[in-house]
């Protein structure tokens, strides 16, 4: 994981358990680093938030975002290899409320790195390993049909290459 802070929305309930089981089977390292989540910032659209941003400054910047954003739902698309890499993700339509949330975070005043990719909200199924062909085929057949509720955001700070720490958890309230 790159140094810095990423913003996500953690999955909950049966869906989180189902995704975690898949992640533990195909990418135990990733499964140990972060809970199952929808990535909102840190990998596309805007890079990670600077590690120099204090937890207090992060909270001051993102609390107004959470207050201004109503909870919403998203649907996952079928799995794919991201940008022809070994990373397997389930993308989300980048338009609508998720883009508005991303843009609010981007405009919140926090310092962040330039992103390498255009905004691509997603759920990562496998990040680190190059998967054997049969495991990759199996992973690409995964389908998640239920809507995912985005009603909170969490921020995780990278501690080192394999450890992260949750530093913020905010409910979306949409005033």
């Amino acid at each position: 994981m790159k140094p810095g802070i990423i913003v996500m929305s953690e999955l909950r309930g049966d869906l989180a358990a189902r995704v975690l089981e898949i992640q533990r089977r195909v990418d135990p390292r990733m499964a140990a680093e972060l809970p199952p989540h929808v990535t909102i910032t840190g990998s596309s659209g805007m890079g990670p938030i600077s590690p120099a941003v204090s937890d207090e400054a992060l909270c001051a910047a993102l609390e107004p975002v959470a207050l201004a954003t109503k909870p919403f739902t998203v649907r996952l698309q079928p799995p794919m290899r991201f940008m022809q890499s070994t990373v397997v993700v389930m993308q989300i339509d980048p338009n609508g409320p998720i883009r508005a949330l991303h843009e609010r975070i981007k405009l919140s005043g926090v310092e962040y790195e330039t992103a390498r990719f255009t905004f691509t909200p997603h759920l990562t199924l496998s990040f680190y390993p190059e998967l054997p062909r049969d495991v990759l085929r199996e992973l690409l057949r995964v389908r998640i049909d239920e809507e995912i509720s985005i009603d909170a955001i969490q921020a995780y700070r990278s501690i080192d290459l394999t450890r992260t720490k949750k530093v913020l958890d905010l409910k979306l309230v949409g005033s």
Side-chain angles (χ1 to χ4, degrees), residues 91-143:
Q91 291 186 348
I92 296 164
D93 182 343
N95 301 301
I98 198 157
R99 179 174 292 281
L101 173 58
H102 176 83
E103 290 301 319
R104 284 183 183 121
I105 295 168
K106 196 171 179 179
L107 297 171
S108 69
V110 294
E111 180 185 341
Y112 58 89
E113 288 187 33
T114 303
R116 295 183 4 209
F117 308 106
T118 59
F119 180 52
T120 310
H122 61 277
L123 182 154
T124 304
L125 293 175
S126 177
F127 186 80
Y128 292 108
E130 185 164 340
L131 300 170
R133 197 173 292 233
D134 60 325
V135 174
L136 177 60
R137 273 195 304 271
E138 177 189 336
L139 197 54
L140 293 175
R141 286 194 296 267
V142 169
R143 297 296 183 268

Side-chain angles (χ1 to χ4, degrees), residues 2-5 48-55 111-113 157-159:
K2 289 182 82 172
I5 303 164
I49 295 169
S50 169
V53 173
S54 71
D55 296 347
E111 180 185 341
Y112 58 89
E113 288 187 33
R157 179 181 295 277
S158 59
I159 304 301

Side-chain angles (χ1 to χ4, degrees), residues 1-168:
M1 195 170 163
K2 289 182 82 172
I5 303 164
I6 62 170
V7 179
M8 64 179 65
S9 183
E10 295 175 3
L11 303 181
R12 294 182 311 278
D14 292 340
L15 178 58
R18 204 163 82 220
V19 170
L20 183 58
E21 186 276 322
I22 292 168
Q23 291 172 334
R24 282 182 175 152
R25 187 168 34 84
V26 299
D27 191 347
R29 178 179 168 188
M30 183 188 71
E33 287 179 11
L34 293 166
H37 64 276
V38 169
T39 303
I40 298 170
T41 74
S43 66
S44 66
M46 65 181 276
I49 295 169
S50 169
V53 173
S54 71
D55 296 347
E56 295 76 20
L58 182 68
C59 185
L62 296 187
E63 270 187 335
V65 170
L67 290 172
T69 306
K70 291 181 182 178
F72 58 94
T73 59
V74 296
R75 288 202 174 275
L76 297 168
Q77 297 170 2
M80 62 173 284
R81 290 175 58 195
F82 185 71
M83 297 295 180
Q84 304 309 310
S85 69
T86 58
V87 177
V88 178
V89 301
M90 299 181 84
Q91 291 186 348
I92 296 164
D93 182 343
N95 301 301
I98 198 157
R99 179 174 292 281
L101 173 58
H102 176 83
E103 290 301 319
R104 284 183 183 121
I105 295 168
K106 196 171 179 179
L107 297 171
S108 69
V110 294
E111 180 185 341
Y112 58 89
E113 288 187 33
T114 303
R116 295 183 4 209
F117 308 106
T118 59
F119 180 52
T120 310
H122 61 277
L123 182 154
T124 304
L125 293 175
S126 177
F127 186 80
Y128 292 108
E130 185 164 340
L131 300 170
R133 197 173 292 233
D134 60 325
V135 174
L136 177 60
R137 273 195 304 271
E138 177 189 336
L139 197 54
L140 293 175
R141 286 194 296 267
V142 169
R143 297 296 183 268
I144 296 175
D145 296 322
E146 62 261 42
E147 289 186 331
I148 296 177
S149 176
I150 308 291
D151 58 7
I153 55 173
Q154 294 78 30
Y156 278 77
R157 179 181 295 277
S158 59
I159 304 301
D160 57 34
L161 288 175
T162 60
R163 289 184 311 133
T164 61
K165 176 184 175 189
K166 186 191 298 189
V167 294
L168 192 64

